[in-house]
């Protein structure tokens, strides 16, 4: 079946540094990828929609300059948390369309970011 | 904007029994998809079942089935013969085209031995 790989699974960084999270579709081409943020014991909140070769579409309230999204190829989207602060600590999950059939999203395993 | 409501933050069920998780949604669209995802402690989102809004027949996947009431905008999940491995967070999700997916707040299900 379709697999989405997300890396790293865990990352700890110092406040003020930037962190990059990768989301790869391993056996299919994903023209659209999605980035979510999940707080402890909460639901997934859509942050942005990433389309290959074009600028990401951000949800209201999500800072574009804080969360940089790049979708340079049909199999890779990256989320860069710039100048990270402790309040950016969270669980970030990506998903991709086009893998498991029409109108089904395949999710990565998530990345836990801890900012000290 | 579409909203998804799961009114049961937590539920428990005895092993081998049946449990139903509730979900309602609000939309003005006619063409959409509904999903139930399972998130075990590993945090990996696992698709349990999906339903196309244009289909009247309720979807079924082994022990999992849904009761889709389009007019009432209701989409409940029934788990039969509950197993310990079913313990997880369950999220109801609504997707309008193209691929805009929104999640409910989740229901934490515990299957007791």
């Amino acid at each position: 079946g379709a697999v989405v790989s997300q890396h790293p699974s865990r990352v700890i960084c110092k406040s003020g540094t930037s962190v990059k999270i990768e989301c790869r579709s391993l056996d299919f081409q994903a023209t659209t990828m999605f980035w979510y943020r999940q707080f402890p014991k909460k639901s997934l909140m859509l942050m942005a929609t990433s389309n290959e070769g074009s600028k990401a579409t951000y949800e209201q309230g999500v800072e574009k300059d804080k969360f940089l999204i790049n979708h340079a190829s049909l199999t890779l989207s990256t989320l860069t948390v710039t100048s990270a602060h402790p309040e950016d600590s969270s669980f970030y999950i990506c998903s991709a369309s086009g893998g498991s059939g029409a109108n089904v999203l395949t999710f990565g395993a998530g990345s836990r970011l801890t900012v000290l | 904007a579409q909203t998804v409501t799961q009114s049961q933050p937590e539920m428990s069920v005895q092993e081998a029994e049946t449990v139903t998780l509730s979900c309602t949604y609000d939309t003005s669209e006619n063409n959409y998809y509904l999903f139930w995802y399972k998130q075990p402690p590993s945090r990996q989102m696992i698709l349990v079942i999906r339903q196309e809004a244009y289909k009247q027949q309720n979807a079924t996947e082994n022990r999992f089935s849904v009761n889709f009431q389009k007019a009432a905008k209701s989409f409940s999940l029934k788990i039969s013969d509950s197993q310990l491995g079913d313990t997880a967070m369950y999220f109801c999700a609504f997707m309008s085209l193209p691929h805009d997916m929104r999640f409910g707040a989740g229901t934490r299900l515990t299957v007791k031995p």
Side-chain angles (χ1 to χ4, degrees):
Chain A
V3 176
V4 171
S5 174
Q6 195 170 336
H7 178 81
S9 57
R10 293 175 181 265
V11 57
I12 300 173
C13 69
K14 293 182 178 180
S15 185
T17 61
S18 294
V19 173
K20 180 184 286 187
I21 300 170
E22 294 187 346
C23 180
R24 294 180 184 272
S25 56
L26 296 187
D27 48 3
F28 66 99
Q29 293 183 334
T31 54
T32 306
M33 290 184 170
F34 305 85
W35 288 95
Y36 301 84
R37 182 172 181 175
Q38 186 178 28
F39 291 102
K41 299 184 179 181
K42 297 293 184 182
S43 187
L44 283 72
M45 301 300 296
L46 180 65
M47 298 174 65
T49 301
S50 169
N51 291 296
E52 186 267 338
S54 63
K55 291 184 178 181
T57 302
Y58 290 82
E59 293 299 301
Q60 189 173 8
V62 178
E63 299 177 60
K64 301 177 182 181
D65 296 332
K66 161 68 76 175
F67 301 101
L68 299 180
I69 291 173
N70 182 277
H71 194 161
S73 78
L74 286 171
T75 59
L76 174 64
S77 176
T78 61
L79 167 67
T80 301
V81 183
T82 62
S83 187
H85 289 93
E87 58 266 30
D88 299 324
S89 297
S90 192
F91 193 68
Y92 294 89
I93 305 176
C94 72
S95 70
S97 63
S100 301
N103 301 312
V104 175
L105 299 184
T106 303
F107 286 81
S111 300
R112 178 174 298 285
L113 169 64
T114 302
V115 184
L116 302 177
Chain B
Q2 289 81 12
T3 58
V4 181
T5 302
Q6 292 179 250
S7 59
Q8 305 154 314
E10 295 187 14
M11 292 194 72
S12 63
V13 63
Q14 290 296 131
E15 193 175 9
E17 294 189 347
T18 296
V19 64
T20 299
L21 308 183
S22 301
C23 173
T24 59
Y25 59 95
D26 186 28
T27 184
S28 58
E29 300 192 24
N30 193 48
N31 190 19
Y32 53 88
Y33 296 80
L34 295 163
F35 304 82
W36 278 97
Y37 278 92
K38 168 184 177 181
Q39 188 180 44
S42 68
R43 308 288 295 265
Q44 173 72 60
M45 295 289 284
I46 301 168
L47 177 64
V48 175
I49 199 166
R50 79 165 188 160
Q51 174 81 43
E52 294 90 340
Y54 62 86
K55 289 187 177 179
Q56 291 186 337
Q57 187 173 7
N58 290 323
T60 299
E61 287 288 342
N62 300 314
R63 298 183 294 108
F64 300 89
S65 61
V66 298
N67 183 0
F68 174 47
Q69 302 291 327
K70 190 172 183 178
K73 296 180 182 175
S74 171
F75 183 62
S76 61
L77 173 70
K78 185 173 79 172
I79 305 175
S80 304
D81 187 25
S82 297
Q83 300 176 359
L84 296 178
D86 295 333
T87 293
M89 279 290 289
Y90 286 81
F91 292 101
C92 177
F94 173 101
M95 186 170 77
S96 58
L97 299 178
H99 306 123
D100 184 2
M101 182 175 280
R102 309 288 165 155
F103 292 86
T107 297
R108 182 173 300 278
L109 176 67
T110 301
V111 179
K112 298 180 178 179

